Amino acid sequence: MFAGTQFCPHCGTPTELGTADSTAAPLPCPSCNAEMPGVRIGGTPMHQCPSCAGNWLDTETFTQLCTNREERGSVANLIGASSAATKPDGLAAVHYLCCPRCKKTMNRTNFGHRSGVIIDVCKGHGAWFESGELRRVLLFVENGGLEKARAEDMRRQIEESMQLQRALHNANVATTSMAFYHGERETKAGDDSLLRRMLEQLLL
């Protein structure tokens, strides 16, 4: 469902999702290349494709949406009627899309490292969400997914740091042992040389 639609394309019920944003210039859809008008869903400005129902949010807007709980819930509810039934197709071919602003290839990333929602991101301009993905991301954030991901990252960093410390400790122990071993070899070699000289003196 997208702004300006009078009926839900899935169930046919009347709807008023968002309002047109005349201050935002249209952008080409990264997925189907249709023209995306600027819209406001709740209080959040974004671009929405009237053909594939995908959403484009600039970086600052998306950040504010994720950190504003009230607005996050409002947008998730407004776009939920049509996108809730949308499921990712695990067999679909992977396509790398271009940013609608700079035209550079965007990075595909698993949002929050563990959400299972693969979104397309241009670090300099924003993020693209296929139909249903924005709602799934917002619900992931609402359910504490980012905090859990952050805690998991911290735990992993601590484990990696401890592994590195153990590796350095073992390397130091090994270095000390080798030095001691070489020292013993040098001492024995010195003793052998001294004994040889003494024997030579006695035998001559």
Side-chain angles (χ1 to χ4, degrees):
M1 199 161 42
F2 47 88
T5 302
Q6 296 180 351
F7 301 93
C8 174
H10 296 277
C11 63
T13 56
T15 179
E16 292 184 2
L17 175 60
T19 57
D21 186 354
S22 59
T23 64
L27 292 173
C29 174
S31 182
C32 66
N33 209 38
E35 185 177 88
M36 296 190 299
V39 299
R40 281 186 175 271
I41 299 180
T44 300
M46 64 183 74
H47 285 79
Q48 191 170 64
C49 180
S51 177
C52 66
N55 301 92
W56 170 262
L57 282 79
D58 65 48
T59 303
E60 183 179 354
T61 298
F62 180 54
T63 301
Q64 291 177 351
L65 181 60
C66 286
T67 55
N68 186 326
R69 184 173 185 178
E70 183 176 352
E71 181 65 11
R72 186 171 68 230
S74 175
V75 172
N77 288 333
L78 285 169
I79 66 176
S82 64
S83 62
T86 304
K87 296 181 179 179
D89 185 355
L91 301 178
V94 174
H95 296 288
Y96 288 89
L97 306 177
C98 293
C99 171
R101 294 197 180 277
C102 67
K103 310 306 179 185
K104 294 182 179 179
T105 302
M106 294 187 285
N107 295 321
R108 288 171 57 82
T109 181
N110 182 1
F111 180 76
H113 306 301
R114 53 185 293 162
S115 67
V117 186
I118 309 299
I119 64 175
D120 300 270
V121 177
C122 174
K123 290 185 177 180
H125 296 104
W128 168 251
F129 304 85
E130 300 285 352
S131 177
E133 289 182 344
L134 180 56
R135 180 176 187 271
R136 293 173 60 207
V137 162
L138 295 179
L139 291 178
F140 172 79
V141 175
E142 183 66 21
N143 292 328
L146 286 181
E147 287 78 6
K148 294 176 182 176
R150 193 175 296 114
E152 179 65 20
D153 287 343
M154 185 173 294
R155 182 191 64 79
R156 189 180 298 110
Q157 290 175 5
I158 292 174
E159 287 184 352
E160 291 175 353
S161 177
M162 293 177 65
Q163 290 176 357
L164 178 60
Q165 290 178 6
R166 284 195 293 268
L168 290 174
H169 174 72
N170 292 337
N172 289 334
V173 170
T175 302
T176 303
S177 298
M178 288 296 293
F180 179 74
Y181 173 74
H182 286 302
E184 281 191 330
R185 289 287 302 274
E186 291 173 357
T187 300
K188 290 180 179 179
D191 292 344
D192 291 343
S193 177
L194 178 60
L195 179 60
R196 187 176 296 108
R197 287 197 300 270
M198 291 176 65
L199 288 174
E200 289 175 351
Q201 291 176 359
L202 289 174
L203 294 174
L204 288 179

